[in-house]
Amino acid sequence: MAEFLPLSDFVIRPPDELMQRARLFHAEMSRRRSVRKFSPEAIPREVIEDCIRTAGTAPSGANQQPWHFVVVEDPATKRRIREAAEEEERAFYTERAPEEWLKAIAPMGTDSNKPFLERAPYLIVVFAVTTGISPDRQRIKHYYVSESVGIATGLLIAALHHAGLATLTHTPSPMRFLNEILGRPESERPFVVIPVGYPAKDAEVPDIHRKPLEQIATFR
């Protein structure tokens, strides 16, 4: 049976402060954009560490915390990841991608070339951990893995943006080559690759708009 403790550090805020904090956070996050052109300027590793700590506060099924974050800054490893990702992406774009998907992403201007995988100072590869090991070395099945890792990834992206960094969510298909390159076990499934850094001075983003509240929420 789990041991429970009093919730002693939750801060109760008055309604006007709640509204101000919610609006300020929305205003900050509304500036977040996916960036494909990064500056190679160095980023303090401590910033990345703290953002991953934030991701690790995410809720998870049975508190199993089924995630692992591999931070890559070694140029040779980033090159290997780019080469493997581009190989998969070429096959995807030319052989496997449905026509409707190609039409859907056409306005984004994406293709199989992924220079950001080398140019960004950091790549954070998020792995979903499907099974764990108990203290007595028994294998433990994890539950709600995708949901838990998705929430943690969202917190990671928000934390990186809040710190002042640009990101991109990259999901080459398939991604199992990442296990081999990064030495991760079969019990871990690549979930997403996140290049992180400052945007390049000439970075551009598509002219897109977010759906308004009435299209994404229903209040009953």
Side-chain angles (χ1 to χ4, degrees):
M1 185 70 177
E3 182 177 343
F4 285 77
L5 301 171
L7 180 61
S8 59
D9 57 354
F10 188 89
V11 179
I12 303 294
R13 304 180 190 277
D16 59 341
E17 186 178 352
L18 292 178
M19 289 186 287
Q20 181 186 34
R21 288 169 63 90
R23 286 171 181 163
L24 287 174
F25 189 69
H26 169 254
E28 180 175 359
M29 294 307 299
S30 67
R31 294 185 295 102
R32 189 211 60 79
R33 296 298 303 270
S34 295
V35 170
R36 289 178 170 79
K37 294 186 73 173
F38 288 86
S39 164
E41 184 176 348
I43 304 295
R45 180 182 289 188
E46 290 80 4
V47 176
I48 305 300
E49 292 173 350
D50 281 338
C51 289
I52 291 176
R53 289 188 180 99
T54 298
T57 69
S60 61
N63 192 38
Q64 291 177 321
Q65 304 171 57
W67 44 66
H68 189 86
F69 305 89
V70 179
V71 181
V72 183
E73 60 177 321
D74 173 59
T77 305
K78 288 194 291 185
R79 171 169 284 276
R80 288 184 65 194
I81 291 174
R82 177 185 177 180
E83 290 173 347
E86 289 183 338
E87 181 179 351
E88 295 293 353
E89 291 286 271
R90 283 191 294 270
F92 178 76
Y93 275 87
T94 60
E95 301 170 14
R96 300 195 300 268
E99 187 63 29
E100 58 268 26
W101 171 246
L102 294 176
K103 289 181 180 179
I105 63 173
M108 302 295 104
T110 61
D111 56 28
S112 60
N113 298 309
K114 310 298 178 185
F116 49 77
L117 292 174
E118 277 193 273
R119 190 165 177 83
Y122 287 103
L123 301 179
I124 302 178
V125 184
V126 183
F127 285 87
V129 183
T130 58
T131 58
I133 301 296
S134 69
D136 59 354
R137 309 306 297 170
Q138 299 297 311
R139 188 172 296 275
I140 302 173
K141 177 179 172 58
H142 286 167
Y143 296 92
Y144 300 104
V145 173
S146 294
E147 295 87 346
S148 302
V149 178
I151 296 169
T153 299
L155 282 180
L156 176 61
I157 292 169
L160 291 164
H161 175 78
H162 180 72
L165 298 174
T167 60
L168 175 70
T169 50
H170 178 53
T171 52
S173 179
M175 293 195 286
R176 276 293 182 180
F177 64 85
L178 291 164
N179 290 73
E180 179 181 353
I181 292 174
L182 300 176
R184 303 311 304 171
E186 283 295 314
S187 59
E188 296 182 8
R189 171 173 51 83
F191 188 80
V192 66
V193 181
I194 305 177
V196 180
Y198 294 118
K201 291 182 179 180
D202 60 344
E204 296 181 330
V205 294
D207 183 13
I208 60 173
H209 304 279
R210 273 98 179 202
K211 294 179 180 180
L213 180 64
E214 59 268 20
Q215 290 187 18
I216 64 173
T218 300
F219 295 85
R220 295 190 181 276

